[in-house]
Amino acid sequence: MAILPILTLPDKRLRTKAKAVETVDESIRQLADDMLETMYAASGIGLAATQVDRHIRLVVMDLSEEKNQPLCFINPEITAAEGEQVCEEGCLSVPDIYAKVKRAERVRVKALDKHGKPFEMEADGLLAVCIQHELDHLEGIVFLDRLSPLKKKMALKKLQKQAALSPA
Ligand code: NI
């Protein structure tokens, strides 16, 4: 396994639209394992392939306390969404910025697992937020894009300031 570099804003590669995975093979499983290791090392709860500069439709998550319940979604699709919730979000690609984002409360998602087997699941609460956040990455969308223009501007300014302060 390997820890992969995570792209951060304003890197334009985060704006790439991911392509469907055609064959779920050993290289895909290896990437999923590397992404999980990268996510755990960075104390994240979700990571999309886009964030490690691989533009395919693959996301991993683990919302468990013990970090022992990895989830892997390949070619995920939200097939139903309902309700509304507002939750504070952060992102490994947008370091140290947190903001409240409005999302659906419940989603139904279908995907392939790491063996290429189709599955469907329903999620609500934080898991539903995480699924929507990670699937956005595959479209080249980051959570700041979901804020009002003013709030987005403020967050980007803060990000710029941080970048200027931290050594390159
Ligand atoms: Ni993110």
Side-chain angles (χ1 to χ4, degrees), residues 46 51 90-93 133-134 137 143:
Q51 294 175 274
C91 178
L92 295 175
S93 294
H133 177 121
E134 299 312 329
H137 277 302
F143 77 101

Side-chain angles (χ1 to χ4, degrees), residues 16-84:
T16 313
K17 198 171 178 326
K19 292 199 170 82
V21 172
E22 281 175 21
T23 317
V24 181
D25 57 15
E26 205 45 54
S27 72
I28 296 294
R29 281 186 281 278
Q30 181 66 54
L31 176 60
D33 285 345
D34 288 346
M35 284 169 57
L36 279 165
E37 195 183 8
T38 302
M39 180 188 83
Y40 290 136
S43 302
I45 57 171
L47 191 67
T50 309
Q51 294 175 274
V52 293
D53 202 22
R54 293 289 307 271
H55 303 287
I56 55 171
R57 304 188 71 84
L58 163 62
V59 307
V60 296
M61 285 171 222
D62 190 339
L63 273 67
S64 68
E65 288 269 312
E66 301 79 17
K67 301 290 168 207
N68 58 2
Q69 285 167 48
L71 295 169
C72 174
F73 298 82
I74 296 165
N75 297 341
E77 245 178 89
I78 291 174
T79 55
E82 60 172 27
E84 205 177 279

Side-chain angles (χ1 to χ4, degrees), residues 118-136:
F119 70 97
E120 275 192 72
M121 71 184 279
E122 271 175 32
D124 60 9
L126 184 60
L127 181 58
V129 168
C130 198
I131 289 170
Q132 292 170 82
H133 177 121
E134 299 312 329
L135 266 62
D136 268 358

